[in-house]
Amino acid sequence: MYHNPVLLKQSVDDLVTNPDGIYVDCTFGGGGHSKEILSRLSEKGRLFSFDQDLDALKNTIEDSRFTLINQNFRFLENSLLMYGVPEVDGILADLGVSSHQFDEAERGFSTRSNAPLDMRMNVMQNLDAKRVINEYEEEELADLFYYYGELREARKLAREIVHHRKSKSIETTEDLKKLFSYLPPHKVNKFYAQLFQAIRIEVNQELEVLKEMLVQAYKILKPNGRLVVISYHSLEDRLVKRFLKNGMFEGEPERDIYGNYKKAFDLLKSKAIIPDESEIEENPRARSAKMRVGIKV
């Protein structure tokens, strides 16, 4: 299976409120969410799906109501305008790396396989993990390990990488992991997951891309349109939670004389929606998923 979609039924249940409407799947992948959305639409409904990964194009759906756009979802608004679509009824974004990308060893996303340091979701872009590890300054590496990987020992890690690459380039995921072979076995899995996450976020500019998409999503959603976002780590979830609350990522919104601020969205549920135990057992990658649903005010 290319990708086992997380919270499939529930996400689409909360997304589609108008069978005749126009919907967007920001992360097409294997097409699981898109197929489910199409099953809820009438003949008048339309679905536009985005994916920058060339591999995902092989999964396109033959349906006159469906359009697959080979673009990063940071170009959401302009891409839809090219199809004459200024506003939509709902937007779904299932963030993170697909099962396919993790399972394709040569892509370099997985901590379990020895592969070239790559980690690009868009294989046509220039920046890859090898360039990050071998060319970034020590301070830049320390910052991304600390902020994107939430690694306390970030400065030490960056220093070790810079020291090692002076004598030999770090080419593969195994080369990188060997630098930290001194770690105790009980810490290894979590450490590598955080390290690889930090590098991947930098390579793909994941947090900046997410911010751009959220801002554009608010602009193009119709009143009462729904934004459904499934995230897989706290950095993403914090951005989504804050934006749904007040339409901002930093600072405090202006308040009226009564102390109230203008809301961007009403929340469908006050707390994040998570997969149940049966889904986690069937699909372990769902374990860290959190879904939030906003209804545009």
Side-chain angles (χ1 to χ4, degrees):
M1 182 176 290
Y2 186 98
H3 181 69
N4 192 359
V6 174
L7 290 164
L8 176 61
K9 299 290 185 182
Q10 190 158 6
S11 62
V12 180
D13 283 346
D14 291 342
L15 175 74
V16 179
T17 57
N18 175 16
D20 296 337
I22 300 174
Y23 290 88
V24 176
D25 179 356
C26 287
T27 45
F28 178 69
H33 282 110
S34 286
K35 290 172 185 174
E36 186 66 25
I37 294 169
L38 285 168
S39 75
R40 313 291 184 91
L41 299 184
S42 70
E43 288 302 313
K44 294 180 181 178
R46 296 176 71 190
L47 172 64
F48 293 86
S49 295
F50 286 73
D51 208 301
Q52 62 182 329
D53 192 338
L54 294 174
D55 284 352
L57 301 185
K58 302 170 186 175
N59 303 318
T60 191
I61 302 166
E62 295 299 325
D63 191 310
S64 60
R65 302 169 297 168
F66 175 74
T67 302
L68 179 55
I69 301 172
N70 183 210
Q71 281 282 14
N72 189 307
F73 58 60
R74 75 190 314 169
F75 304 115
L76 176 66
E77 184 179 17
N78 284 342
S79 296
L80 290 174
L81 285 174
M82 290 178 64
Y83 287 90
V85 179
E87 58 180 11
V88 301
D89 294 88
I91 298 170
L92 168 67
D94 180 10
L95 306 175
V97 183
S98 73
S99 302
H100 171 76
Q101 289 167 330
F102 270 124
D103 293 340
E104 290 289 300
E106 66 272 13
R107 301 291 293 271
F109 287 106
S110 175
T111 63
R112 301 188 304 271
S113 305
N114 186 24
L117 279 171
D118 193 328
M119 302 193 198
R120 292 173 298 170
M121 292 182 182
N122 177 3
V123 296
M124 304 302 288
Q125 73 178 42
N126 291 322
L127 183 63
D128 60 11
K130 180 180 174 182
R131 284 187 59 186
V132 169
I133 291 299
N134 288 283
E135 297 180 17
Y136 273 33
E137 299 292 335
E138 182 177 325
E139 186 174 349
E140 290 179 289
L141 287 174
D143 283 347
L144 75 91
F145 293 155
Y146 184 78
Y147 291 110
Y148 294 166
E150 300 179 292
L151 289 160
R152 293 180 181 178
E153 61 272 37
R155 296 204 176 280
K156 178 186 176 183
L157 303 177
R159 188 163 56 247
E160 291 180 4
I161 287 171
V162 171
H163 174 73
H164 179 87
R165 74 190 192 193
K166 287 178 181 178
S167 57
K168 186 177 180 182
S169 176
I170 302 167
E171 301 281 333
T172 68
T173 55
E174 201 62 34
D175 290 343
L176 180 61
K177 289 167 66 176
K178 282 179 182 177
L179 299 184
F180 311 109
S181 57
Y182 57 81
L183 290 168
H186 68 279
K187 288 188 175 181
V188 166
N189 289 341
K190 183 178 179 182
F191 170 79
Y192 288 140
Q194 291 173 281
L195 180 67
F196 277 48
Q197 172 184 292
I199 301 166
R200 192 197 77 224
I201 289 174
E202 175 66 17
V203 168
N204 298 290
Q205 297 183 287
E206 291 178 32
L207 299 185
E208 289 307 311
V209 167
L210 174 58
K211 288 180 183 179
E212 291 176 29
M213 183 275 287
L214 291 172
V215 170
Q216 293 174 54
Y218 178 74
K219 287 175 64 179
I220 66 174
L221 274 171
K222 296 177 182 177
N224 294 315
R226 295 192 173 193
L227 175 60
V228 179
V229 185
I230 305 170
S231 59
Y232 294 87
H233 57 74
S234 59
L235 300 176
E236 292 173 335
D237 184 56
R238 281 199 291 267
L239 288 177
V240 174
K241 181 180 179 180
R242 187 166 177 79
F243 187 77
L244 290 179
K245 181 179 178 182
N246 56 34
M248 300 176 67
F249 302 110
E250 297 175 352
E252 289 296 325
E254 291 185 14
R255 297 176 182 268
D256 62 23
I257 59 173
Y258 303 105
N260 301 313
Y261 59 82
K262 184 179 179 181
K263 292 193 296 183
F265 294 88
D266 284 324
L267 300 181
L268 188 65
K269 292 187 178 180
S270 58
K271 293 185 178 181
I273 300 159
I274 60 175
D276 60 27
E277 289 300 323
S278 61
E279 179 171 2
I280 292 171
E281 186 175 344
E282 183 179 328
N283 181 13
R285 286 171 180 162
R287 184 178 295 108
S288 58
K290 289 185 177 181
M291 185 175 84
R292 297 187 186 273
V293 183
I295 303 169
K296 183 175 176 178
V297 175

